Amino acid sequence: MSTFVDGQISQNASYAGSIAVPLTAAPALFGTLGINLATATTGTRVELSATVAVTTLLAVLGTVTILIFRDTTQIYSATTALPVNALDTLTFTVSATDFNVPTTPSFPIYTAYVLGSGINLATRTGPESFSAVAVSN
């Protein structure tokens, strides 16, 4: 049976339309959290969820990517197409699991980034959130 170890959330923007940040080709940090694994035993895993909303400014083809890191190691990425119509909003949510997480150090830092492809023709409009729950056997 799994045992709850820790849970955290990083909320960059709480609701739709609460921010207006250009989506760029360079990864932009939108969530940071630390997980306390001091009480973890064996089989530690961290279940992560990230949400980013992006509104297109013009009708062009493009993508949005979410990257998740544990400390300096990339552990997850996902990419989806941006809406093809101007002023459409895409709410992109991903779920990831980091299996067999080392318990040393006992406080890993998880970060979430968002980036877009091609020309900057989209805006991050919110919501943006990043959460994690750690469990062990």
Side-chain angles (χ1 to χ4, degrees):
M1 183 167 102
S2 295
T3 302
F4 173 82
V5 176
D6 191 18
Q8 299 293 324
I9 188 164
S10 174
Q11 189 84 11
N12 190 45
S14 297
Y15 55 90
S18 59
I19 60 173
V21 178
L23 182 66
T24 64
L29 179 68
F30 73 91
T32 301
L33 50 86
I35 293 289
N36 185 351
L37 300 179
T39 62
T41 56
T42 61
T44 303
R45 62 198 172 278
V46 178
E47 299 169 12
L48 303 135
S49 177
T51 297
V52 173
V54 176
T55 301
T56 56
L57 302 177
L58 296 173
V60 296
L61 297 177
T63 62
V64 60
T65 299
I66 291 176
L67 305 172
I68 299 176
F69 290 79
R70 177 187 0 101
D71 298 321
T72 59
T73 302
Q74 182 178 329
I75 60 163
Y76 184 84
S77 71
T79 301
T80 193
L82 285 168
V84 295
N85 296 319
L87 302 179
D88 275 354
T89 299
L90 166 74
T91 302
F92 185 28
T93 299
V94 298
S95 296
T97 303
D98 190 9
F99 288 100
N100 297 315
V101 178
T103 55
T104 302
S106 63
F107 198 78
I109 303 298
Y110 287 88
T111 51
Y113 295 83
V114 61
L115 63 123
S117 69
I119 303 169
N120 180 7
L121 297 172
T123 302
R124 297 166 39 207
T125 52
E128 291 185 349
S129 66
F130 181 46
S131 61
V133 172
V135 296
S136 65
N137 294 337

